Amino acid sequence: MALIVQKFGGTSVADPAKIKAVAERVLRTKKQGNQMVVVLSAMAGETNRFVDMAGQMQEQPDEREFDVLLASGEQVTIALFAMAVKGMGGDAVSLLGDQVKIVTDSVHTRARIKSIDTSLINKHLKENRIVVVAGFQGVTEADDLTTLGRGGSDTTAVALSAVLKADMCEIFTDVEGIYTTDPNVYAAARKIDRITYDEMLELASLGAKVLDIRSVGMAKRYKVPLHVRSTFTENDGTWVVEENKNMESMLVSGVTYSRNEARITISKIHDIPGIASKIFTPISDAGVVVDMIIQNTRAGEMTDMTFTVPRTDYKKAMDIVRNLDIAGPDQVSGSEEIIKVSIVGVGMRNHSGIATTMFHVLAREGINIHMISTSEIKVSCVIDEKYTELAVRALHDAFSLEKDNQPEEE
Ligand code: ADP
Ligand code: ASP
Ligand code: MG
């Protein structure tokens, strides 16, 4: 008997018929003799609808109340799902984050899980029930509801798998696994059979929302084997695993892009010690995460500072920069019409020339690169948003990712 955690995303539980289909599938796995913990997201579109309504109440919605609102979508799906199971003659119990005692810190809208109490879940499992847990939500030590950040149900599933020592964590979604690039952007994308935690961390941090980045970090840390697969087919998906030496021969595993980017430039400021700290301390104090930074020194002790922030924090960061006493309004400019396109692969560690190929391909397509950043296993370029699809496809072709060039397992 195995203990399996299965998470179903919003499109998988988008309406009552889909919820029933998922219940049937889970019951089948249960009848094969497994213990089942199911984590559900809200119905597709619901969380966005709540965000929109909150914006109609308050320009910057109160974060505590925002979490109370956003957490409600998952309450609906877990209850419907448990009813569906019971309607099919099975037994299930729905549990909210605070009932399971998924205790988080108090950073509303992107809380981190601190601990999970397994006793209630284990009690229901022992009584042979399917345990259905609301994804994306937790509770603080002071009993306030919290949410884990958009896409956070993946993290609930992995965290539960870790504390319950589950044999497997399966993430069911609307594509058949992790692809060489977003299959909804480029049809030539190829499903990857196995990918390392590190590559997936990079892909997720660079925009591939197929898995929430925190869930990947946690899976790596607690060695939770992850299987990402489709709700709508029986096919095998992608396994996210620890690196083995064969994987090194893959130069590039994927191309990804992130639209959640914005650029801010402060021009012609004095190039003196402390200037970076003066700019970035208040931005970081406001909880805004700065990504790339470029400083260009001009002749005459003046400098330009350009950096990127999440587009969702653009206005907040702009207001902070405009209020600094180091630059006048005409020295501050920015753009929300940029994206970051990246190539990722563990093989880059041992091969040179990958970045140059990327620059060459973008140049050939007439795409100007605004900023570049690299790590051991990735190269990212900031480009104009209008070139997103063109860049993704050209890079995917240039690195022959449509071909099945995965090495055989030993
Ligand atoms: P869920 O609601 O099930 O959590 P998400 O919408 O969060 O699903 O994630 C699945 C989506 O991720 C896919 O529909 C796809 O468009 C997108 N995606 C982006 N990059 C990739 C990739 N490299 N491989 C697979 N899917 C990707
Ligand atoms: N419902 C939440 C969201 O849309 C959490 C999730 O789906 O993972 O972000
Ligand atoms: Mg998701």
Side-chain angles (χ1 to χ4, degrees), residues 3 5 37 116-119 121-122 125 133 157-167:
L3 170 58
V5 174
V37 174
I116 298 179
D117 185 344
T118 53
S119 51
I121 295 181
N122 279 327
L125 285 176
V133 180
V158 174
L160 283 173
S161 305
V163 293
L164 292 167
K165 301 195 171 48
D167 296 287

PDB file of all heavy atoms in Angstrom, residues 3 5 37 116-119 121-122 125 133 157-167:
ATOM      1  N   LEU A   3       1.249   5.571  -0.059  1.00  0.00           N
ATOM      2  CA  LEU A   3       0.566   6.823   0.265  1.00  0.00           C
ATOM      3  C   LEU A   3       0.867   7.803  -0.858  1.00  0.00           C
ATOM      4  O   LEU A   3       2.026   8.144  -1.113  1.00  0.00           O
ATOM      5  CB  LEU A   3       1.066   7.362   1.615  1.00  0.00           C
ATOM      6  CG  LEU A   3       0.616   8.777   1.973  1.00  0.00           C
ATOM      7  CD1 LEU A   3      -0.903   8.898   1.993  1.00  0.00           C
ATOM      8  CD2 LEU A   3       1.179   9.187   3.333  1.00  0.00           C
ATOM      9  N   VAL A   5       0.057  11.515  -2.751  1.00  0.00           N
ATOM     10  CA  VAL A   5      -0.542  12.851  -2.722  1.00  0.00           C
ATOM     11  C   VAL A   5      -0.771  13.272  -4.165  1.00  0.00           C
ATOM     12  O   VAL A   5       0.149  13.202  -4.991  1.00  0.00           O
ATOM     13  CB  VAL A   5       0.387  13.862  -2.007  1.00  0.00           C
ATOM     14  CG1 VAL A   5      -0.185  15.275  -2.108  1.00  0.00           C
ATOM     15  CG2 VAL A   5       0.586  13.474  -0.548  1.00  0.00           C
ATOM     16  N   VAL A  37      -4.215  11.307  -0.472  1.00  0.00           N
ATOM     17  CA  VAL A  37      -4.422  12.680  -0.018  1.00  0.00           C
ATOM     18  C   VAL A  37      -4.520  13.527  -1.275  1.00  0.00           C
ATOM     19  O   VAL A  37      -3.646  13.466  -2.147  1.00  0.00           O
ATOM     20  CB  VAL A  37      -3.259  13.171   0.875  1.00  0.00           C
ATOM     21  CG1 VAL A  37      -3.424  14.656   1.207  1.00  0.00           C
ATOM     22  CG2 VAL A  37      -3.176  12.340   2.143  1.00  0.00           C
ATOM     23  N   ILE A 116       3.298  21.678   9.742  1.00  0.00           N
ATOM     24  CA  ILE A 116       2.012  21.045   9.416  1.00  0.00           C
ATOM     25  C   ILE A 116       1.784  19.941  10.430  1.00  0.00           C
ATOM     26  O   ILE A 116       2.697  19.177  10.745  1.00  0.00           O
ATOM     27  CB  ILE A 116       2.031  20.436   7.988  1.00  0.00           C
ATOM     28  CG1 ILE A 116       2.250  21.528   6.939  1.00  0.00           C
ATOM     29  CG2 ILE A 116       0.736  19.681   7.712  1.00  0.00           C
ATOM     30  CD1 ILE A 116       2.303  21.011   5.512  1.00  0.00           C
ATOM     31  N   ASP A 117       0.572  19.885  10.959  1.00  0.00           N
ATOM     32  CA  ASP A 117       0.225  18.842  11.923  1.00  0.00           C
ATOM     33  C   ASP A 117      -0.415  17.688  11.145  1.00  0.00           C
ATOM     34  O   ASP A 117      -1.440  17.859  10.503  1.00  0.00           O
ATOM     35  CB  ASP A 117      -0.772  19.435  12.933  1.00  0.00           C
ATOM     36  CG  ASP A 117      -1.102  18.475  14.037  1.00  0.00           C
ATOM     37  OD1 ASP A 117      -0.824  17.270  13.874  1.00  0.00           O
ATOM     38  OD2 ASP A 117      -1.655  18.916  15.057  1.00  0.00           O
ATOM     39  N   THR A 118       0.207  16.519  11.221  1.00  0.00           N
ATOM     40  CA  THR A 118      -0.292  15.406  10.403  1.00  0.00           C
ATOM     41  C   THR A 118      -1.356  14.564  11.114  1.00  0.00           C
ATOM     42  O   THR A 118      -1.926  13.657  10.512  1.00  0.00           O
ATOM     43  CB  THR A 118       0.878  14.470  10.021  1.00  0.00           C
ATOM     44  OG1 THR A 118       1.559  14.101  11.217  1.00  0.00           O
ATOM     45  CG2 THR A 118       1.841  15.132   9.072  1.00  0.00           C
ATOM     46  N   SER A 119      -1.642  14.892  12.390  1.00  0.00           N
ATOM     47  CA  SER A 119      -2.461  13.945  13.164  1.00  0.00           C
ATOM     48  C   SER A 119      -3.877  13.774  12.598  1.00  0.00           C
ATOM     49  O   SER A 119      -4.369  12.652  12.484  1.00  0.00           O
ATOM     50  CB  SER A 119      -2.497  14.338  14.645  1.00  0.00           C
ATOM     51  OG  SER A 119      -2.856  15.680  14.766  1.00  0.00           O
ATOM     52  N   ILE A 121      -4.979  14.329   9.514  1.00  0.00           N
ATOM     53  CA  ILE A 121      -4.926  13.635   8.221  1.00  0.00           C
ATOM     54  C   ILE A 121      -4.709  12.138   8.450  1.00  0.00           C
ATOM     55  O   ILE A 121      -5.425  11.298   7.881  1.00  0.00           O
ATOM     56  CB  ILE A 121      -3.781  14.203   7.337  1.00  0.00           C
ATOM     57  CG1 ILE A 121      -4.064  15.655   6.980  1.00  0.00           C
ATOM     58  CG2 ILE A 121      -3.605  13.358   6.072  1.00  0.00           C
ATOM     59  CD1 ILE A 121      -3.019  16.299   6.092  1.00  0.00           C
ATOM     60  N   ASN A 122      -3.749  11.808   9.322  1.00  0.00           N
ATOM     61  CA  ASN A 122      -3.463  10.388   9.573  1.00  0.00           C
ATOM     62  C   ASN A 122      -4.668   9.663  10.166  1.00  0.00           C
ATOM     63  O   ASN A 122      -4.938   8.504   9.834  1.00  0.00           O
ATOM     64  CB  ASN A 122      -2.239  10.246  10.479  1.00  0.00           C
ATOM     65  CG  ASN A 122      -0.955  10.378   9.667  1.00  0.00           C
ATOM     66  OD1 ASN A 122      -0.907   9.980   8.503  1.00  0.00           O
ATOM     67  ND2 ASN A 122       0.069  10.962  10.262  1.00  0.00           N
ATOM     68  N   LEU A 125      -6.984   8.997   7.323  1.00  0.00           N
ATOM     69  CA  LEU A 125      -6.420   7.971   6.429  1.00  0.00           C
ATOM     70  C   LEU A 125      -6.608   6.588   7.044  1.00  0.00           C
ATOM     71  O   LEU A 125      -6.975   5.635   6.361  1.00  0.00           O
ATOM     72  CB  LEU A 125      -4.928   8.235   6.173  1.00  0.00           C
ATOM     73  CG  LEU A 125      -4.581   9.388   5.222  1.00  0.00           C
ATOM     74  CD1 LEU A 125      -3.066   9.586   5.165  1.00  0.00           C
ATOM     75  CD2 LEU A 125      -5.134   9.156   3.815  1.00  0.00           C
ATOM     76  N   VAL A 133      -7.545  18.180   0.837  1.00  0.00           N
ATOM     77  CA  VAL A 133      -7.031  19.372   1.521  1.00  0.00           C
ATOM     78  C   VAL A 133      -7.084  20.582   0.573  1.00  0.00           C
ATOM     79  O   VAL A 133      -6.736  20.472  -0.610  1.00  0.00           O
ATOM     80  CB  VAL A 133      -5.583  19.147   1.998  1.00  0.00           C
ATOM     81  CG1 VAL A 133      -5.036  20.374   2.714  1.00  0.00           C
ATOM     82  CG2 VAL A 133      -5.489  17.925   2.898  1.00  0.00           C
ATOM     83  N   ALA A 157       0.842  20.750  -1.801  1.00  0.00           N
ATOM     84  CA  ALA A 157       0.944  19.321  -2.122  1.00  0.00           C
ATOM     85  C   ALA A 157       2.323  18.771  -1.766  1.00  0.00           C
ATOM     86  O   ALA A 157       2.440  17.700  -1.167  1.00  0.00           O
ATOM     87  CB  ALA A 157       0.649  19.098  -3.605  1.00  0.00           C
ATOM     88  N   VAL A 158       3.360  19.520  -2.118  1.00  0.00           N
ATOM     89  CA  VAL A 158       4.715  19.026  -1.841  1.00  0.00           C
ATOM     90  C   VAL A 158       4.981  19.034  -0.330  1.00  0.00           C
ATOM     91  O   VAL A 158       5.570  18.095   0.217  1.00  0.00           O
ATOM     92  CB  VAL A 158       5.775  19.849  -2.607  1.00  0.00           C
ATOM     93  CG1 VAL A 158       7.174  19.429  -2.196  1.00  0.00           C
ATOM     94  CG2 VAL A 158       5.591  19.678  -4.106  1.00  0.00           C
ATOM     95  N   ALA A 159       4.520  20.069   0.349  1.00  0.00           N
ATOM     96  CA  ALA A 159       4.725  20.139   1.802  1.00  0.00           C
ATOM     97  C   ALA A 159       4.033  18.971   2.493  1.00  0.00           C
ATOM     98  O   ALA A 159       4.604  18.329   3.381  1.00  0.00           O
ATOM     99  CB  ALA A 159       4.207  21.473   2.341  1.00  0.00           C
ATOM    100  N   LEU A 160       2.813  18.674   2.077  1.00  0.00           N
ATOM    101  CA  LEU A 160       2.101  17.538   2.671  1.00  0.00           C
ATOM    102  C   LEU A 160       2.837  16.233   2.372  1.00  0.00           C
ATOM    103  O   LEU A 160       2.970  15.367   3.230  1.00  0.00           O
ATOM    104  CB  LEU A 160       0.663  17.467   2.142  1.00  0.00           C
ATOM    105  CG  LEU A 160      -0.317  18.484   2.749  1.00  0.00           C
ATOM    106  CD1 LEU A 160      -1.656  18.439   2.025  1.00  0.00           C
ATOM    107  CD2 LEU A 160      -0.531  18.212   4.237  1.00  0.00           C
ATOM    108  N   SER A 161       3.326  16.105   1.134  1.00  0.00           N
ATOM    109  CA  SER A 161       4.068  14.887   0.767  1.00  0.00           C
ATOM    110  C   SER A 161       5.278  14.720   1.669  1.00  0.00           C
ATOM    111  O   SER A 161       5.608  13.610   2.097  1.00  0.00           O
ATOM    112  CB  SER A 161       4.545  14.955  -0.685  1.00  0.00           C
ATOM    113  OG  SER A 161       3.465  15.189  -1.538  1.00  0.00           O
ATOM    114  N   ALA A 162       5.964  15.844   1.949  1.00  0.00           N
ATOM    115  CA  ALA A 162       7.172  15.779   2.776  1.00  0.00           C
ATOM    116  C   ALA A 162       6.828  15.357   4.205  1.00  0.00           C
ATOM    117  O   ALA A 162       7.428  14.431   4.738  1.00  0.00           O
ATOM    118  CB  ALA A 162       7.896  17.123   2.759  1.00  0.00           C
ATOM    119  N   VAL A 163       5.850  16.020   4.812  1.00  0.00           N
ATOM    120  CA  VAL A 163       5.576  15.691   6.226  1.00  0.00           C
ATOM    121  C   VAL A 163       4.904  14.327   6.395  1.00  0.00           C
ATOM    122  O   VAL A 163       5.084  13.658   7.411  1.00  0.00           O
ATOM    123  CB  VAL A 163       4.728  16.772   6.965  1.00  0.00           C
ATOM    124  CG1 VAL A 163       5.505  18.051   7.117  1.00  0.00           C
ATOM    125  CG2 VAL A 163       3.399  17.008   6.283  1.00  0.00           C
ATOM    126  N   LEU A 164       4.146  13.919   5.393  1.00  0.00           N
ATOM    127  CA  LEU A 164       3.471  12.614   5.493  1.00  0.00           C
ATOM    128  C   LEU A 164       4.378  11.483   5.014  1.00  0.00           C
ATOM    129  O   LEU A 164       4.004  10.327   5.048  1.00  0.00           O
ATOM    130  CB  LEU A 164       2.185  12.617   4.652  1.00  0.00           C
ATOM    131  CG  LEU A 164       1.053  13.522   5.143  1.00  0.00           C
ATOM    132  CD1 LEU A 164      -0.012  13.683   4.058  1.00  0.00           C
ATOM    133  CD2 LEU A 164       0.419  12.961   6.416  1.00  0.00           C
ATOM    134  N   LYS A 165       5.560  11.866   4.492  1.00  0.00           N
ATOM    135  CA  LYS A 165       6.495  10.892   3.893  1.00  0.00           C
ATOM    136  C   LYS A 165       5.788  10.065   2.826  1.00  0.00           C
ATOM    137  O   LYS A 165       5.855   8.826   2.795  1.00  0.00           O
ATOM    138  CB  LYS A 165       7.126   9.996   4.957  1.00  0.00           C
ATOM    139  CG  LYS A 165       7.883  10.821   5.998  1.00  0.00           C
ATOM    140  CD  LYS A 165       8.799   9.966   6.834  1.00  0.00           C
ATOM    141  CE  LYS A 165       9.711  10.793   7.733  1.00  0.00           C
ATOM    142  NZ  LYS A 165       9.057  11.854   8.514  1.00  0.00           N
ATOM    143  N   ALA A 166       5.099  10.767   1.943  1.00  0.00           N
ATOM    144  CA  ALA A 166       4.332  10.099   0.879  1.00  0.00           C
ATOM    145  C   ALA A 166       5.287   9.388  -0.070  1.00  0.00           C
ATOM    146  O   ALA A 166       6.433   9.789  -0.238  1.00  0.00           O
ATOM    147  CB  ALA A 166       3.512  11.129   0.119  1.00  0.00           C
ATOM    148  N   ASP A 167       4.795   8.344  -0.694  1.00  0.00           N
ATOM    149  CA  ASP A 167       5.623   7.616  -1.654  1.00  0.00           C
ATOM    150  C   ASP A 167       5.744   8.392  -2.956  1.00  0.00           C
ATOM    151  O   ASP A 167       6.689   8.212  -3.713  1.00  0.00           O
ATOM    152  CB  ASP A 167       5.008   6.235  -1.924  1.00  0.00           C
ATOM    153  CG  ASP A 167       5.020   5.390  -0.664  1.00  0.00           C
ATOM    154  OD1 ASP A 167       6.109   4.936  -0.291  1.00  0.00           O
ATOM    155  OD2 ASP A 167       3.950   5.237  -0.033  1.00  0.00           O
TER     156      ASP A 167
END
